[in-house]
Each structure stands twice: as C-alpha cells, then as structure tokens.
Amino acid sequence: EISRPADVEDARLFLPIVTEEQPIMEAIMLNPVVVICGETGSGKTTQVPQFLYEAGFGTPGSDNPGMIGVTQPRRVAAMSMASRVAHELSLTSSKVSYQIRYDATVSPQTSIKFMTDGVLLRELANDFLLNKYSVIVIDEAHERSINTDILIGVLSRIINLREERWRAKEAGAKPLRLIIMSATLRVSDFAENKTLFPKPPPVISVGARQHPVTIHFSRRTSPDYVKEAVKKAAKIHSRLPPGGILIFLTGQNEITGVVKKLEARFGEKSLHARRQKRAQAALNARMRREGEEEDETKSANPSQVALEVEDIDFGATRGDENIANDVDDGMLEDDPEALDTEGEEEEDALNEALGLEESDAPMHIVPLYSLLPSDRQMKVFEPPPPGHRLVVVSTNVAETSLTIPNIRYVIDCGRVKERKYDTTNGVQSFQITWTSKASASQRAGRAGRTGPGHCYRLYSSALFENHFEQFSEPEILRTPIEGIVLQMKSMHIDTVINFPFPTPPDRLALRKAERTLVHLGALSLDAASSVGGMVGNAKITDLGRAMALFPLAPRFARMLVSGQQHGCLPYVITVVSALSVGDPFLFEEAINEKSDEEDEEDDDEMVTEKEAKRAKRKAYFTSQHLHSSLGKHISDVFKSLSVVGAYEYTGGGAKFCAEHFVRLKAMEEIHKLRAQVGNIVRVNFPASDPKTDTKLPPPSEFQLKVLRQLLAASFVDQVAVRKDRIGADGQSKGVQFANAKGVPYRAAGILEDVFIHPSSVLIDLSPPEFVMFHELVRTSRPYMKGVTVVNPA
Ligand code: ADP
Ligand code: MG
C-alpha cells in the first residue's frame, strides 16, 4: 500500500542505502540495537524510517504498532525531514509528523514522528519506558549533542526494561528497538562501550555514492576569511561552470554580511549595475593595471558588517582576533608552499581548460542559520530561478543535517562557533575555533553529491595538518549540565556519576551542577553524601520534582514553582519565557548599520538617508527608554517583561517588532513558550491561573517587588558587588562613576573582575553596589547579562 511519486521512486534508486534495505532490516529484526554509518546524503534520514514503516513499524495491528520515533539535534532538520518523508510516502503531515519545542504536527494517527532530541528527552519524564514507540532512531549521533548522548545512555537501559517486560509476557508489552545513525565511522564511543551495550551492537556501513571532490587549500591562511569567502565565490561564479555554491561560515552576522555583499555584486537587481561596473573596472585596469586589487579594497571588513544580537553574545569580533593570532603563530614557518601552490595552479589550469568567460548569470543567494525563521530556512530546498546560480551561505547546519541539492562547489572557512563553558566558574563564551578534520571532510563532501565537485578551503594545508583536531569535542564536555542532571534525577537516576554516558562529563561539572541544584532547593544532601562536600548522590526534593516538569533551565523552573502568589504567575511565566529564548532586543549597532554602497550614492540621496537614519535612531532610543522603566526597578529582565507585555497586549506582529526594535522570531518563540509553559502550569497546578490566554496588564509595583525577590531566590549564587565597595564601611561614598562602562565588579566564585554588558539598561547609569545577573558571557571581557539591581536606594 506504499505509493511514492514517480520522481521519488527514480531518485531512490540512486541512494546507496536503498540497496542495503534487506541487510539493514534483518539486523534490526535480530538485534535490539543497530548502528548505521553512512555518508551524508546516502539516504539514512529519509529512507530508514521508510524501511521501518514498510516493515509494519508504526502501524496499528502489526507486531510493532508503536510509533517510529526519529530524533534530530536541530529543529530545522526535524521539520524538513518530516515533510520530505511525508512527500516521499505520499502521506499527510498528521501521519508523518514532527514535534519541536514550539511546534508540532503530531496526531493520534502519527506513524513516523521526527522530533528534536530535547523533545524525546522530556517525554521520558512522563513515560519512562517510551511505550508509545516501537523503535527509536537516534540520528546524527556523530554530532555528539548533549541530548543525543544522554538519550543513548537512557535508551540502553530502557531497551532492557522493555525486553524484560515482554519476556515476562506483561499485557501489551513490546520490545523497543534502537537505531543509532552516524555520518562518520567514528562510532566506537557507542558501539564498543561495554557499560553502554554489554553486547556490542552490529555496525552497518553504507557505501557512499560519492563523486570525487578536489580539495584546494589556500596558500596562506588569511584571518579575514569572510572577505576571502566573498572573493572565492565571486571567482567561482564568474569562471566556473554552473552548479551551486555552498559557503560555510560561523554565524548569522557573517552570513548576512556575505549575503548582502554577494547580492550587491551578483544579485539579480545588480545585474545592470554590475555590467557597468565591470566596464569601469576594465577601464581602471587598463589605466592602473591593478583592476582586481582595486575592486577588492571595496569590500568591507567584518567589523563593519551589521552587528546583530546573536553576534554580540558570541563576541564574534573578538573571536576573529584570536584566530588571527593563532594563525600567525602556527602557519607561517612550516607552510609547505609547494602543495598549496599546486592547488591554486590546478584551479587555474581547470579554468583554462574550460576556457570560461565571466558569466552574466545572476546569483540566487540564500542564507541558512538557526535564528532564521523556519519558512526562510526551507528556501534552500527550492530550486533557484532558471538561469540563476544557487549560492547557500550557511552555518554548519548544512554540514550533515541537511543535504542541499545540486551543490558543486564548497567554500569552507574552516572555523566553527562553539560554546565554551568553564566548569570551574560557570563563565560561558562563544568562540570561533578551528573545526575538526572530520567536519572539514563532511563539508567538502557536500560538493560531490551530484557530480565531481570542488572544495575551496580558506586555510593552508599546514594549518589543517597541525591545528585541526581529528574530531570535535562532544557537547557534554562544554555545556552547563544542571538541567540535564535535574532531568535525570527526576527519572530516578540518582547516581548520575554512574550513568552510562557515551563520554562521561567532567566530575567537576557534575559537582557544580549538583551544588547549584542544592542551592535552588531541587536536590537535598543527606548526611552521608555531604561528608567532605562530596556530592554525587543528592536526592531530588518535591520542589525539584515540580521543577523538572518544565522544559526550562532549573533556575527558571524554580521561579515558576514558587511564584504562584499575589497574581504574579503570569509575569513569572513571561519573564522565564523571555529569558529562556534569549534577549529579543536588537543592539544599538544593528540600527546604525552602514550599507556598503553608501559611498557611491549621490549627495541628495545621502542627505535623505541620513535624516532617515537619525529618525530611526531617535525611535530606537525612545523605545529603549519606554521599556527600561517598568516601575521603579532597573532591570534588563523587566525590560524584556515590558516589551513582551506590550507585544501581547497589542497583538504583536512584524510592525510591532520593527517599531520596538526586537527580533520577530524571538518574540514569536517567547509567545509560544509562554503558552506552552502556561499549559504545563494549568495541568500540574490546577489551582493557579497562568492567564497566558488573556492580555496582560502591566504589573503593579508590589508585583514587581515580588518578582524581584523571586529572581533573587533563583540567582542567589549569581550576584556581584562593585569592586571598590568590597569591605567599604558604609560611611565613605567610594568612587563616583558617571556610568557603568568598564566598572569592575566581583562575583562569587569567580577569580577575575566582571562587568555589566554594554547592552544593559544599567550601562548609562551610576553603577549600583549590588547586582544579580542571568549569565556571564565572555567576549572581550567577562560580561554580566540580564542584570537586575539588588536593593536600589
Ligand atoms: P543522509 O541522512 O544519509 O544524510 P538524507 O536521507 O537526508 O541523507 O538525503 C537523501 C537524499 O534525499 C539526498 O541526496 C537529498 O538530495 C534528498 N533530499 C533530502 N531532503 C530533501 C528535500 N527536502 N528536498 C529534495 N530532496 C531532498
Ligand atoms: Mg541525515
């Protein structure tokens, strides 16, 4: 009864995994756990769920009526793969569905359910045996996302429990199967880990139908890889035959910058201007014999590119500087020029052989990063308009999760933006570091899906050999894990230290997580376990159990559980939703962004543009001011509360976001999370009224006070005191500061000075003595974000 569209049937014949259907299904039927390795694009994600479905999994009345569950580390992959598989099987989205944190298409009829790994992890809290499922496919296991790692650990135990029940012939009991899929062959952490699977699971490798990809290293590693990427794309576009270009960069800021620049030079609209410009360039070249150089100096350096909120967080600029240093340290002396030159020569030879002229075809440029609205993310799958060359500018989401059709050229910046977490003091930073050799090879592979391809690496082969790790570090080693520890405790995994992690987290990190949870009242130490400050088997409290119901960081869950008095709950829900999603405000720089072409405009236009900009700046400050003064309290948290309140009150929308300088996607996510949290409250605390379905009046002064107390209880260990006031006797007034810029604070447990982030509402005020903060993020300095004044005068 399976019917697939004809074009899908044809395309399937070319997927390497389809010829392996029989051995794969045989292994699955004979083993509780199977590992499948296969190159990206070999058909794992789209086909394995179909094999299972065809074999009766997920079909009521069969031997395996439970759903087929497939997890993905990324939301966009969960959504797009569900829709692709539904299409391939000619089924509806209620039959092949997805569920992500904010959205779901699941129905009682769902047979195949794609979800993020976080969603499945949360389901464990309500149904530890996952009785709804007959098989779980953990996809992208090579990415080693923290949720995936934990799921594999938990599932290794659930499989045994389900099997025991089935053998004991308990009513309705069925075994659960587990399939772990990876795009790399490095699966020993799963397959050969005896604590995880005492009987090693079979590993099935799917051959790749991969075309050769020629790797071209750069002769030198330029620190300005963003500029290099634009240059390379321009070169490929004008000299090489048709075929999509996929550019790997590290984040939204870089991506939007490159998209803009390419759009200006090669987009449809610029076609005419481009012809003229080229004529001009030719003229210049003749006159100065430096045509190309001249053109290059015009491209902006990354610091001029529009700054967006995400990048402020991530400190991209700082990261770039670091990399520049690394590069200079490492590559200059031992760079085997010969090899690199070879690459470049090859490229030139290729161009000559093909004898290609500069092309006049426009580019069709599509960005791809996680903060992009979902419908725009899906655009990468649409074919470009006829005669256009597809150019996708992406983060590493396109590395293995999504296979973009018809890519022939890959430009790899060689870097990735990663969260780093200092387990000793909780300081987070987002650093741009070299990616791994494994990632580099995945990226290159994207060029060889439809035919022979080329990968241009914007770094030297010496750097690659000497500075790239073989594999990336699992996320569990560089993330705060208190939420995970609380989840595990609520699943009765008391001794987290003995849990079968594929890679066990740092013991210090575990201890810190438990300590935080004890502070919050979620765990309690009995006498035996607290000897000598040793934690490890603290027990979950009733408060902790209630906190574990929420898909939120434990600090926020704590506020929800204890914030039900005085009609404060609706505001608490709003605050934790906003803090969980992240700062929705655009930062000042984003408002002042300069466009590249500005220099070329004539005077009249410049004046009007300047006026428009001035007006915009004024509107920006008015709106900032409006939301910065909720009651008498000075707090970044209340600023978010204010704007979300206004958004909900007015009904929101894109116009609201433009007027208030907030990101639409963030506001929508906060809106959805509010509703979701409201529902959880309604179900679990029937006596309370979350009011998430009605308009929210501004909170009273008294309610704001209660809110601040709740914040303080959740952030007891995240307070800082102004450094010059430490040990002050209360008589002396101390130093007078005009504003908080650069004023050092000391925070508990942190050995260096910390500072108020420039985006804070406190930054232009006289710095208060005590503050509490939501998080510490290191960019050029350790900055406190989400700051609230403690005890205002
Ligand atoms: P893997 O999981 O092994 O990386 P996939 O199952 O994701 O491979 O992809 C198999 C093939 O299906 C790819 O070559 C790709 O061309 C095609 N494909 C996947 N998703 C889509 C989509 N949304 N639109 C068109 N083709 C797609
Ligand atoms: Mg896949």
Side-chain angles (χ1 to χ4, degrees):
E1 2 75 75
I2 306 277
S3 94
R4 296 186 177 90
D7 59 322
V8 167
E9 284 291 0
D10 293 346
R12 283 185 94 223
L13 296 178
F14 289 96
L15 292 176
I17 203 156
V18 171
T19 52
E20 305 286 326
E21 173 168 3
Q22 208 234 332
I24 287 175
M25 284 316 295
E26 217 168 87
I28 292 172
M29 298 319 285
L30 295 175
N31 298 277
V33 185
V34 174
V35 178
I36 301 174
C37 303
E39 281 268 1
T40 304
S42 57
K44 299 181 300 299
T45 310
T46 52
Q47 305 308 315
V48 170
Q50 298 187 50
F51 298 166
L52 292 163
Y53 182 72
E54 281 196 70
F57 284 84
T59 307
S62 76
D63 278 349
N64 296 289
M67 276 189 289
I68 302 165
V70 187
T71 70
Q72 295 288 331
R74 295 191 170 83
R75 289 181 203 148
V76 51
M79 295 169 71
S80 68
M81 288 301 145
S83 89
R84 177 66 190 175
V85 171
H87 171 74
E88 292 203 10
L89 286 171
S90 308
L91 293 173
T92 62
S93 65
S94 59
K95 198 99 170 89
V96 183
S97 321
Y98 71 82
Q99 184 177 351
I100 60 176
R101 185 182 190 176
Y102 305 106
D103 235 333
T105 58
V106 279
S107 75
Q109 285 75 48
T110 299
S111 289
I112 307 178
K113 172 171 160 185
F114 284 85
M115 66 201 121
T116 52
D117 44 19
V119 163
L120 185 61
L121 202 54
R122 298 210 49 86
E123 285 186 8
L124 285 169
N126 295 326
D127 175 15
F128 187 74
L129 291 175
L130 295 177
N131 284 311
K132 283 190 290 197
Y133 300 92
S134 58
V135 55
I136 298 287
V137 182
I138 304 281
D139 202 0
E140 308 283 330
H142 65 275
E143 278 203 30
R144 307 301 308 276
S145 91
I146 189 164
N147 291 340
T148 289
D149 270 16
I150 308 261
L151 274 177
I152 291 175
V154 181
L155 281 161
S156 73
R157 297 305 181 255
I158 298 176
I159 288 164
N160 296 340
L161 294 172
R162 287 268 298 259
E163 177 153 346
E164 279 165 25
R165 293 193 158 200
W166 173 63
R167 289 198 187 285
K169 301 211 162 45
E170 278 187 38
K174 299 269 184 192
L176 176 69
R177 283 165 221 277
L178 172 61
I179 300 166
I180 299 174
M181 304 206 294
S182 165
T184 70
L185 282 169
R186 194 218 190 187
V187 288
S188 55
D189 283 352
F190 314 123
E192 289 155 30
N193 183 333
K194 286 279 164 64
T195 38
L196 201 53
F197 304 116
K199 176 175 176 271
V203 177
I204 300 179
S205 290
V206 180
R209 189 169 283 121
Q210 176 78 17
H211 299 275
V213 174
T214 315
I215 307 282
H216 307 270
F217 282 101
S218 295
R219 207 167 314 173
R220 295 185 36 129
T221 308
S222 163
D224 194 351
Y225 55 89
V226 175
K227 180 173 157 188
E228 291 297 313
V230 172
K231 246 162 112 171
K232 196 61 85 180
K235 236 175 174 173
I236 294 171
H237 182 59
S238 51
R239 299 199 200 150
L240 298 184
I245 303 176
L246 172 59
I247 307 178
F248 285 103
L249 294 172
T250 75
Q252 181 184 355
N253 170 30
E254 292 171 3
I255 290 170
T256 47
V258 167
V259 167
K260 251 169 116 180
K261 211 159 295 159
L262 289 176
E263 200 71 66
R265 279 172 71 178
F266 301 104
E268 179 124 59
K269 288 200 193 97
S270 75
L271 199 68
H272 176 68
R274 202 152 47 86
R275 284 193 184 124
Q276 279 190 336
K277 207 169 171 179
R278 207 164 54 218
Q280 186 66 43
L283 198 69
N284 288 348
R286 246 197 356 245
M287 286 163 68
R288 301 210 264 137
R289 283 200 250 139
E290 286 185 324
E292 211 187 330
E293 280 302 318
E294 202 255 358
D295 200 59
E296 297 306 338
T297 53
K298 275 200 183 133
S299 47
N301 73 40
S303 62
Q304 288 173 321
V305 168
L307 281 171
E308 303 212 18
V309 180
E310 187 197 27
D311 302 288
I312 304 286
D313 282 353
F314 291 172
T317 326
R318 158 81 180 190
D320 294 354
E321 285 162 17
N322 288 346
I323 281 169
N325 293 339
D326 289 354
V327 171
D328 288 339
D329 291 347
M331 45 82 50
L332 288 178
E333 8 182 321
D334 52 6
D335 194 8
E337 269 211 20
L339 207 158
D340 294 344
T341 318
E342 209 175 274
E344 299 256 330
E345 271 168 5
E346 217 175 292
E347 179 195 345
D348 291 342
L350 178 77
N351 298 344
E352 248 162 62
L354 295 165
L356 283 149
E357 294 283 289
E358 290 232 336
S359 103
D360 246 352
M363 281 185 182
H364 177 68
I365 307 151
V366 196
L368 183 61
Y369 52 84
S370 62
L371 284 180
L372 200 67
S374 316
D375 53 327
R376 289 195 58 205
Q377 287 178 346
M378 303 295 232
K379 287 249 188 303
V380 296
F381 292 113
E382 291 169 14
H388 287 56
R389 187 198 291 272
L390 177 70
V391 179
V392 179
V393 192
S394 176
T395 59
N396 58 356
V397 60
E399 203 172 284
T400 61
S401 301
L402 299 181
T403 305
I404 299 159
N406 302 317
I407 295 299
R408 191 158 173 196
Y409 309 97
V410 164
I411 300 172
D412 174 16
C413 77
R415 282 96 165 164
V416 65
K417 185 148 48 187
E418 257 185 3
R419 183 212 294 265
K420 300 276 169 182
Y421 177 70
D422 186 331
T423 48
T424 56
N425 60 21
V427 180
Q428 297 190 42
S429 58
F430 290 86
Q431 287 171 6
I432 297 175
T433 60
W434 299 120
T435 175
S436 64
K437 287 182 178 160
S439 285
S441 122
Q442 287 293 340
R443 291 180 179 187
R446 307 299 88 241
R449 294 306 311 155
T450 24
H454 293 269
C455 173
Y456 297 88
R457 292 181 170 167
L458 304 179
Y459 45 93
S460 74
S461 63
L463 190 104
F464 175 77
E465 289 304 332
N466 301 327
H467 290 266
F468 279 44
E469 298 291 335
Q470 208 65 38
F471 298 98
S472 317
E473 195 178 44
E475 190 187 7
I476 197 161
L477 301 180
R478 49 185 170 85
T479 318
I481 53 173
E482 59 227 26
I484 290 291
V485 170
L486 182 61
Q487 283 305 315
M488 292 172 80
K489 296 266 182 188
S490 76
M491 293 175 220
H492 310 286
I493 303 169
D494 279 330
T495 42
V496 175
I497 268 178
N498 296 336
F499 182 79
F501 293 102
T503 304
D506 186 277
R507 287 181 89 92
L508 258 180
L510 270 178
R511 206 175 303 167
K512 180 167 171 16
E514 291 210 342
R515 215 179 305 129
T516 303
L517 291 169
V518 169
H519 271 310
L520 294 173
L523 301 182
S524 72
L525 297 170
D526 57 38
S529 60
S530 58
V531 174
M534 267 303 294
V535 278
N537 46 1
K539 296 273 183 302
I540 190 163
T541 61
D542 287 342
L543 178 62
R545 237 181 289 280
M547 284 163 61
L549 296 170
F550 296 96
L552 302 167
R555 289 178 200 281
F556 302 146
R558 161 72 207 254
M559 288 180 67
L560 281 167
V561 174
S562 48
Q564 318 217 354
Q565 281 136 23
H566 311 295
C568 278
L569 192 59
Y571 304 106
V572 178
I573 293 174
T574 307
V575 163
V576 300
S577 303
L579 285 172
S580 299
V581 168
D583 191 352
F585 286 96
L586 290 165
F587 200 46
E588 192 185 331
E589 263 83 78
I591 313 304
N592 299 332
E593 62 177 13
K594 281 177 74 170
S595 71
D596 294 338
E597 307 92 284
E598 202 175 302
D599 320 338
E600 293 159 30
E601 314 269 15
D602 58 273
D603 288 354
D604 278 358
E605 251 176 80
M606 263 178 82
V607 172
T608 24
E609 200 170 308
K610 259 191 191 149
E611 268 168 16
K613 272 186 186 156
R614 203 169 300 137
K616 201 170 175 191
R617 265 178 72 82
K618 191 162 168 239
Y620 172 73
F621 285 110
T622 310
S623 120
Q624 294 294 300
H625 184 73
L626 171 71
H627 295 297
S628 299
S629 42
L630 196 56
K632 289 182 294 195
H633 305 267
I634 304 165
S635 163
D636 295 325
V637 179
F638 289 174
K639 185 180 169 195
S640 296
L641 174 61
S642 167
V643 82
V644 176
Y647 180 89
E648 298 292 345
Y649 201 86
T650 58
K655 188 164 167 280
F656 177 96
C657 293
E659 284 167 2
H660 293 258
F661 300 92
V662 284
R663 287 183 291 126
L664 178 60
K665 192 179 185 201
M667 296 308 287
E668 285 173 350
E669 287 188 353
I670 293 169
H671 174 80
K672 287 181 188 166
L673 189 55
R674 249 184 103 233
Q676 193 180 354
V677 170
N679 283 335
I680 299 173
V681 171
R682 231 169 259 128
V683 170
N684 293 287
F685 307 94
S688 59
D689 182 7
K691 287 210 179 84
T692 44
D693 42 10
T694 52
K695 289 184 174 180
L696 201 57
S700 69
E701 186 56 34
F702 179 69
Q703 286 169 324
L704 285 172
K705 224 167 178 171
V706 177
L707 275 177
R708 214 184 52 201
Q709 280 163 8
L710 288 168
L711 277 172
S714 282
F715 293 93
V716 261
D717 51 344
Q718 304 213 141
V719 290
V721 57
R722 221 172 76 194
K723 195 179 178 187
D724 62 293
R725 301 298 291 162
I726 296 173
D729 54 12
Q731 310 256 317
S732 70
K733 285 188 116 173
V735 192
Q736 295 292 306
F737 294 102
N739 58 47
K741 282 175 198 136
V743 176
Y745 280 79
R746 299 306 300 241
I750 298 178
L751 298 174
E752 58 188 317
D753 294 347
V754 297
F755 301 85
I756 292 175
H757 193 269
S759 68
S760 172
V761 297
L762 275 76
I763 200 69
D764 289 320
L765 307 174
S766 163
E769 208 165 318
F770 294 99
V771 294
M772 55 191 164
F773 54 90
H774 165 209
E775 58 188 355
L776 262 186
V777 176
R778 184 190 302 276
T779 52
S780 54
R781 286 170 157 175
Y783 279 120
M784 299 180 277
K785 302 195 71 180
V787 183
T788 299
V789 181
V790 181
N791 292 328

